[in-house]
Amino acid sequence: MTRTLLFAASLTLAAGSLGAQANPAAAGAGATLIKNATVLTVTKGTLKNTDVLIQNGKIAQVGSNIAAPAGATVIDATGKYLMPGIIDPHTHTMSDAINEGSLSVTSMVRIQDVLNPTAINIYRALAGGVTSINILHGSANTIGGQNATVKLKWGEDVDQMMFPGAPPGIKFALGENVTRKNQSQIIIPGQPTTRRYPVSRMGQEEVVRDAFVRARDYKATLDDYKARVAKGEKNLVAPRRNLELEPLVEVLEGKRLVHAHSYRSDEMLMLLGLADEFGFKIQTLQHGLEGYKIASEIAKHGAGLSSFADSWSYKIEAYDAIPYNVAILLRHGVNATINSDSDERMRRLNIDAAKLVRYGGLTEDEALATITINGAKQLGVADKVGSIEVGKDADLGLWNNHPLSVFAAVDKTFVDGKVYFDRQQDLAMRDQKAKERADLEKAGANQAPATRRGVQPVLPQEER
Amino acid sequence: MTRIRFAAIAALTALAASSAGAQLGSFNPPPGPQKTFAITNAHIVPVSGPEIANGTVVISGGKIQAVGASVSVPSGAEVIDAKGLHVYPGMMDAGTSIGLSEIGQGANATVDISEVGSFNPNAMAYYGLNPHSAHIGVTRVVGITHVITRPTGGILSGQAALVNLAGSTAPQMAVNRSIATVIEMPRSGFGGRGFGGFFAAQGPANTQDVNRTRQRQLDSLRTMLRDAEAYGTAMDAYAKDKTLPRPKHDVVLASLVPAVRGQMPVLMVADRVTDIKEAVGFAEENKLRPIIVGGRDAWQITSFLKDHDVPVLITSVMDLPTREDDPYDVNYSAPAKLAQGGVRFAITSGDAGAEARNLPYTAGMAAAFGLSREDALKSVTLWPAQIFGIADRFGTIEVGKAANLVVTTGDVLEAKTDTKYLFIDGRLVPLDTKHTDLNDKFKDRP
C-alpha cells in the first residue's frame, strides 16, 4: 500500500515538473487580468477595448477599466483578440488505440483507458487555441467504445485532464468504414483478410436494432430488480452485470450521449428513425457530410451535427460533401459544428470556421460558434465553456489577429485560468533547448566509438 | 466460354459504372468566349508593383491589354463594375495532381495518377487529366486559375502539365502538355511513402539492404538518363546524315531527351535534408535542372539551395511537425526561413486535388508565421511562374500577360473572402460548381 502511494506520489511529481517546464505560468494560481482586448464573446457579441478578469480559474468579470486585484498578473492585450477556447467535437488525439474492431458491438471499451497525456499533439492543439476536445473511439464497428471529453491541460495527468462533469458518451458508426468496403482497412500484415458482420447498410441497421432490443430487455430486468428491492423483498439475486449493455441502457435512459459517425443521408435517417422507435436521442451525427440533404429531419429529431468544413471526395460516401453543409443545417435549426478528426487540422479550426463565412454566408459570430459554444452544447458542457461569460471556466485563446483571419496566430491559451501555451515562452525555450541539444551532442558518451576522443564507454557490469 | 467472359466483363463494367457513377457528366460549366472586358473601379493588386486603389483592367484576346488608374474603357467592351472589389492575378498551384484522381479510396476506376512500374518518363499527366473532374470547379472558384498537375509514384513518374483550370477538353486546358519530368528519388532510410509503418514492416530488414536497393534504383535511373542522352545524340546525327544507320524509335527514351538536355526542368520529390542534397547532387551529376518538390526540411539548408540555385515547391506548410521535439510551427514558418535565406520557392497545396483549394490559406498560414503578406501572395502567383519559366505570361497583372484574373470581395488569401468574377485565358468562367449545385438543390428543402 505504502509502496503504491509512494509510486503515485513520484508520478505526480514527475508530471508536475514536466508541467512547470512546458507551461511557465501554470505555477501562478492567482488572478489574471487581460486588459484592452477585442473580446469575441461569441454569445454576447464583440466587445472592443475590454478587460477580462480571471479568478480561481473562472471568468470573474468582463468590462472596461477593471482594476487589477493585488498580485494579479496583468496582460496588455492591446490590438489582440480574446476568444473562447476552441472545442473540437471529434478527435483521436492522445489515443494509444482507436478501434476495438473485432466485434460489431464494443460498447464495453473505453477510450479513457488508453489516453496518453504526454502526446505532443496536445501542445500543438493548444498552440492552435484549442482547449477542450472530444476523444472518440474509431469507426470500425457499428457500436464502438465510450468517448472521453478532455481539457487540454498539457503536463498534467489523465485524471486531471478529464472534463469535470461532462456527460459520458459513446461512438456509433455507419457506412463504408463499418462495412469495410475500403479493402485497405481490413488488411492486417500476416493475417488472412477477414469479413465481419455487417458488410452492408442492411446489416448495420440490424446490429443496432439487435443491440437495443437486448439492452431494453436488460433494462427491464434491472428495473424489475430495483422495483422489488424498493418494495423490500428479501433474498433477491441481483442480475449479472453486462458491461456491453450497461452503456446502452444509459443511452436509453438519456444518461449517455450518442455520437454517430455517418456520411450518407440514408444511413443517418435510418439511425434517427431507429432511435425514435426505441425512445432515445442521437446527440450528434459525426461527419454527417450529407446532412444538408435531410436537414429538416435532423432538426426534428433534435440531433446536432459535427462536420468537416470542406473535406470531401476522399471516398465515395464523401463525394457529395459540400462546404455549405454547416450553413444549411444551422439555417434549419440544427446545432452544427466543425471538427477536425485530425491532429493536423485541429490546429487551424479557426480557418475552417472562416470558410463558413464564404460558403453559406454565416455571420462571424455564427462561424465562431461552430468551433466554440455549439461544440460545448454537443458535449453537454455549455454551462462551463464555449463562450466568454462571467462564471464560465476561463478557457480562452488570445490571438494576435482576428481568429477568422488566416493571418492570425495564438499568443496564449488558457485552460481553467492557467496559461498552457505561450508563444513568447515557447520561442524563448527554443534557444535553451538548442543549447541543451548541442551540449548533449558534444558529450563524450554520445560520440560514436571511432570519434570518441579517448573516452571509453562504461559497460554495465554483468550480474550473476 | 465466350458467354462467361462476356458476363464477367459486363459485371466489371457495371461495377465500374456504379463506383464511378458520381463522376459521370460534368460539374464544370465551360467558360465563355474571349471577349473584350473592362473591369472598372477595382482595387487592383498587380503583384508586379504597387496596388492601385481605384483602377481599370482591360482584357481582350485572352491577354491583359491595359491596367492602371486612368485607363479608358475601349468601345464595345463588356464592363464589369468592380466597385468595392479586388482584382488579383490568378493563383497557381504548382504542387498538385488535380484532375488525375477523383476519389482516391474505394473508387480505383477514377484514379489515373500513377502508372505501373518504376520508370515511366513518357506517362503524361495530360492524358490522365479529366476536364470534368469536380475538383477543378471548386478549386478555380477560390481564384486558382492554373496549375502544374503531375503524375506520382515509381521513380520516373512521368511528365507534368501546365493547365488552365477551364475548358471542356484537355487541349483547351493545356498551356504546356509537358512542362517538367517528375522523378521521385528513392529515399534514404526506412519507410516508403504513405503508410510508413505498415509497409516498412514488410520492407527490407536493415539499413544495408535499404541502401543497396536504393543504389540499384539510382543506377537504373542513371543508365536510363545516359541512354536517353545517347538516343538524342543518335537521332540528331541521323537527322543530319541519313547514310548513318537509322536508330530505332523509342518513345520512352525520346520523352526523356528534353530533360537530359536541360531543356525541361525535373521535379524531384524530396523532403529530408539528406534526400534534398542527394537529389541536387544527382541532378548536377546528370546535368538535370532540378526543382525540389516537397522540401519539408529545405529551410535547414537555405545556403546550400541558394548556392546551387535550386528552387523549392514546398508542399508541407500545413503538415504536422515530423519529429516530436520539432517546434510546433516548424512547417508553418518554413517559407519565412526560405525567404530569409534567399531561396527561390513557391507555396503549393501539396494536395492530390480535392483540397487544392486550400492553397491561399496555406500561404496565409505562412504569413501568420513570419512571411510577409506580399511574399505570401507572390509565393502562389509570381514565384511559381518564375520557377517554371512562364513569368512572361503568368503571375502578375501586366500588359501582355495571360488574362487569368480573379475578382474578390477582399484579400484573396483570406478564407472568408468570396469570388465574384473569374477570368481564365481571357474568358469569363461561371462560378457554378458541384458544390453550388448541391447547395442550390437542398438549401431550401423544407
Side-chain angles (χ1 to χ4, degrees):
Chain A
M1 184 59 186
T2 318
R3 205 171 245 247
T4 318
L5 271 177
L6 263 177
F7 180 61
S10 67
L11 261 182
T12 316
L13 208 70
S17 64
L18 254 181
Q21 243 180 26
N23 48 75
T32 302
L33 180 63
I34 300 167
K35 284 201 75 75
N36 207 28
T38 299
V39 178
L40 308 164
T41 68
V42 179
T43 47
K44 296 184 186 298
T46 297
L47 312 171
K48 295 215 163 143
N49 308 110
T50 296
D51 303 346
V52 173
L53 178 65
I54 301 169
Q55 269 176 324
N56 303 318
K58 306 277 184 203
I59 299 169
Q61 221 179 319
V62 179
S64 46
N65 300 316
I66 298 175
T73 307
V74 178
I75 296 167
D76 178 12
T78 306
K80 294 182 178 163
Y81 293 77
L82 190 70
M83 74 171 279
I86 292 172
I87 295 168
D88 190 341
H90 189 137
T91 78
H92 304 287
T93 307
M94 297 170 66
S95 302
D96 281 347
I98 294 175
N99 278 304
E100 176 49 64
S102 54
L103 304 172
S104 297
V105 180
T106 60
S107 37
M108 66 296 265
V109 307
R110 310 190 309 170
I111 282 297
Q112 188 180 340
D113 296 328
V114 292
L115 293 183
N116 171 10
T118 66
I120 189 65
N121 287 320
I122 298 170
Y123 184 72
R124 292 169 179 161
L126 283 163
V130 181
T131 54
S132 292
I133 61 175
N134 182 18
I135 307 175
L136 288 165
H137 182 272
S139 51
N141 34 12
T142 324
I143 295 182
Q146 302 167 28
N147 67 310
T149 306
V150 157
K151 283 199 175 203
L152 296 181
K153 296 183 170 183
W154 171 243
E156 300 185 20
D157 65 23
V158 170
D159 288 348
Q160 287 161 302
M161 292 171 93
M162 298 301 292
F163 199 121
I170 187 167
K171 174 77 171 279
F172 286 12
L174 305 167
E176 287 177 28
N177 290 15
V178 177
T179 60
R180 303 180 171 200
K181 291 287 161 62
N182 297 317
Q183 290 296 309
S184 64
Q185 299 208 2
I186 61 168
I187 298 168
I188 303 161
Q191 298 291 318
T193 52
T194 51
R195 307 205 87 186
R196 183 206 63 199
Y197 185 88
V199 296
S200 76
R201 287 179 170 86
M202 299 182 287
Q204 286 172 14
E205 192 272 353
E206 191 275 340
V207 167
V208 184
R209 176 177 297 280
D210 175 69
F212 276 96
V213 165
R214 289 186 290 126
R216 198 166 52 187
D217 284 352
Y218 180 56
K219 182 176 181 303
T221 308
L222 291 176
D223 289 348
D224 181 49
Y225 172 72
K226 281 180 210 155
R228 292 170 70 181
V229 171
K231 268 193 261 166
E233 283 188 39
K234 304 284 180 208
N235 301 324
L236 292 170
V237 178
R240 183 178 170 180
R241 277 191 77 182
N242 186 323
L243 297 181
E244 178 199 14
L245 297 179
E246 258 178 27
L248 301 184
V249 170
E250 289 167 1
V251 168
L252 288 170
E253 291 170 340
K255 294 174 186 163
R256 183 174 288 279
L257 310 178
V258 177
H259 302 291
H261 163 118
S262 45
Y263 277 77
R264 251 169 47 180
S265 56
D266 53 330
E267 67 200 18
M268 289 184 242
L269 208 53
M270 175 280 284
L271 186 64
L272 297 178
L274 204 140
D276 285 341
E277 186 186 329
F278 280 85
F280 68 92
K281 286 277 176 239
I282 301 299
Q283 177 74 4
T284 66
L285 296 160
Q286 291 291 330
H287 307 313
L289 297 185
E290 285 188 15
Y292 66 93
K293 293 182 178 174
I294 52 163
S296 303
E297 288 85 345
I298 296 171
K300 191 171 169 228
H301 176 87
L305 189 143
S306 190
S307 178
F308 294 128
D310 61 352
S311 292
W312 70 296
S313 199
Y314 45 90
K315 51 180 171 175
I316 299 266
E317 63 188 2
Y319 197 53
D320 273 3
I322 61 174
Y324 303 91
N325 191 31
V326 167
I328 294 174
L329 290 159
L330 286 171
R331 295 286 174 258
H332 281 76
V334 176
N335 179 37
T337 59
I338 295 291
N339 69 60
S340 73
D341 191 14
S342 147
D343 289 335
E344 189 279 296
R345 295 184 78 93
M346 183 163 36
R347 307 169 304 156
R348 52 183 169 98
L349 283 170
N350 60 310
I351 299 178
D352 275 353
K355 290 170 183 169
L356 303 181
V357 177
R358 173 186 193 127
Y359 299 111
L362 296 196
T363 65
E364 295 198 344
D365 272 350
E366 284 175 323
L368 286 171
T370 65
I371 53 171
T372 55
I373 188 69
N374 293 4
K377 288 176 189 163
Q378 291 183 347
L379 302 181
V381 291
D383 55 330
K384 300 186 183 75
V385 293
S387 61
I388 299 183
E389 292 179 63
V390 171
K392 280 200 170 182
D393 297 353
D395 291 10
L396 303 163
L398 186 62
W399 297 68
N400 67 359
N401 208 321
H402 194 294
L404 292 178
S405 167
V406 296
F407 303 118
V410 174
D411 272 349
K412 287 183 176 59
T413 307
F414 302 81
V415 182
D416 288 340
K418 289 185 185 177
V419 176
Y420 283 89
F421 169 77
D422 183 323
R423 177 157 168 85
Q424 293 314 315
Q425 295 280 358
D426 182 286
L427 292 172
M429 274 168 62
R430 290 183 198 183
D431 291 339
Q432 182 195 322
K433 269 178 135 186
K435 190 181 172 302
E436 205 175 301
R437 178 190 289 249
D439 288 349
L440 279 169
E441 281 173 359
K442 261 185 266 166
N446 289 322
Q447 302 296 316
T451 62
R452 203 174 272 165
R453 297 191 293 265
V455 182
Q456 289 304 312
V458 182
L459 296 173
Q461 291 287 318
E462 199 177 341
E463 281 182 25
R464 297 202 146 243
Chain B
M1 180 61 183
T2 316
R3 283 178 65 145
I4 292 167
R5 193 193 261 168
F6 176 76
I9 290 169
L12 270 176
T13 312
L15 197 75
S18 69
S19 62
Q23 197 199 3
L24 301 175
S26 182
F27 300 106
N28 308 326
Q34 281 181 337
K35 292 195 292 192
T36 301
F37 295 96
I39 307 164
T40 61
N41 301 316
H43 182 104
I44 302 165
V45 185
V47 176
S48 52
E51 297 184 14
I52 301 159
N54 188 349
T56 299
V57 183
V58 178
I59 61 182
S60 148
K63 299 263 190 288
I64 297 165
Q65 303 295 349
V67 52
S70 49
V71 166
S72 52
V73 176
S75 64
E78 185 172 328
V79 176
I80 289 170
D81 184 1
K83 192 168 164 44
L85 301 177
H86 292 59
V87 186
Y88 287 88
M91 289 176 281
M92 171 172 173
D93 188 356
T96 182
S97 298
I98 196 167
L100 304 184
S101 172
E102 195 70 9
I103 304 174
Q105 201 181 47
N108 274 338
T110 67
V111 179
D112 294 288
I113 198 168
S114 297
E115 255 313 329
V116 166
S118 296
F119 297 94
N120 297 292
N122 54 325
M124 290 172 66
Y126 174 78
Y127 291 114
L129 178 71
N130 175 11
H132 308 290
S133 161
H135 301 181
I136 289 173
V138 304
T139 301
R140 68 189 182 191
V141 297
V142 302
I144 299 167
T145 53
H146 48 291
V147 303
I148 302 288
T149 187
R150 72 168 197 279
T152 63
I155 292 169
L156 263 167
S157 315
Q159 295 182 30
L162 168 65
V163 299
N164 278 325
L165 291 185
S168 301
T169 64
Q172 283 176 350
M173 296 172 71
V175 179
N176 185 339
R177 298 177 183 196
S178 299
I179 197 164
T181 293
V182 183
I183 295 182
E184 297 201 356
M185 290 287 285
R187 293 202 325 185
S188 54
F190 286 97
R193 299 178 190 288
F195 300 90
F198 173 66
F199 285 109
Q202 302 194 321
N206 58 52
T207 319
Q208 281 96 331
D209 280 358
V210 170
N211 283 336
R212 252 198 302 278
T213 305
R214 185 163 145 275
Q215 285 308 330
R216 215 168 33 237
Q217 291 169 328
L218 285 174
D219 284 346
S220 301
L221 181 56
R222 276 191 196 95
T223 304
M224 195 171 214
L225 296 174
R226 292 291 68 78
D227 286 353
E229 195 179 20
Y231 176 81
T233 309
M235 278 297 184
D236 284 356
Y238 178 71
K240 278 190 206 141
D241 181 357
K242 299 282 183 197
T243 65
L244 290 171
R246 180 165 55 83
K248 208 171 140 190
H249 281 94
D250 185 320
V251 290
V252 174
L253 293 180
S255 70
L256 266 178
V257 171
V260 296
R261 288 183 172 174
Q263 294 158 348
M264 179 194 278
V266 178
L267 300 176
M268 305 185 86
V269 181
D271 278 313
R272 306 192 305 186
V273 165
T274 46
D275 291 331
I276 296 171
K277 284 189 164 176
E278 175 96 19
V280 172
F282 184 88
E284 288 177 352
E285 171 201 327
N286 292 284
K287 291 171 275 178
L288 306 173
R289 277 205 291 138
I291 298 171
I292 297 296
V293 181
R296 187 192 64 218
D297 294 343
W299 62 272
Q300 295 176 25
I301 47 169
T302 51
S303 52
F304 169 85
L305 291 164
K306 196 182 170 198
D307 292 347
H308 292 257
D309 192 28
V310 174
V312 177
L313 305 177
I314 189 161
T315 62
S316 46
V317 173
M318 291 298 203
D319 289 1
L320 279 170
T322 315
R323 303 163 192 89
E324 198 170 36
D325 56 350
D326 276 336
Y328 77 94
D329 61 354
V330 65
N331 292 326
Y332 295 157
S333 60
K337 288 172 186 156
L338 292 177
Q340 267 165 21
V343 177
R344 295 193 289 138
F345 71 95
I347 292 177
T348 78
S349 71
D351 187 82
E355 298 188 26
R357 61 175 164 186
N358 279 319
L359 176 70
Y361 325 132
T362 307
M365 187 63 97
F369 288 86
L371 191 66
S372 74
R373 291 192 191 186
E374 293 74 20
D375 282 356
L377 183 58
K378 284 179 183 166
S379 75
V380 291
T381 53
L382 179 59
W383 292 350
Q386 288 173 337
I387 288 170
F388 282 92
I390 55 168
D392 56 330
R393 287 173 287 161
F394 295 94
T396 62
I397 305 181
E398 287 178 278
V399 172
K401 287 201 177 180
N404 284 11
L405 302 169
V406 57
V407 184
T408 65
T409 57
D411 191 323
V412 76
L413 300 186
E414 288 281 17
K416 58 188 179 185
T417 296
D418 203 3
T419 298
K420 291 298 178 191
Y421 302 96
L422 178 68
F423 294 91
I424 298 179
D425 193 26
R427 303 164 191 274
L428 189 60
V429 180
L431 300 175
D432 307 324
T433 66
K434 175 172 202 250
H435 296 171
T436 60
D437 284 354
L438 286 168
N439 181 49
D440 291 344
K441 277 180 187 137
F442 288 98
K443 71 179 180 348
D444 299 319
R445 177 180 171 271

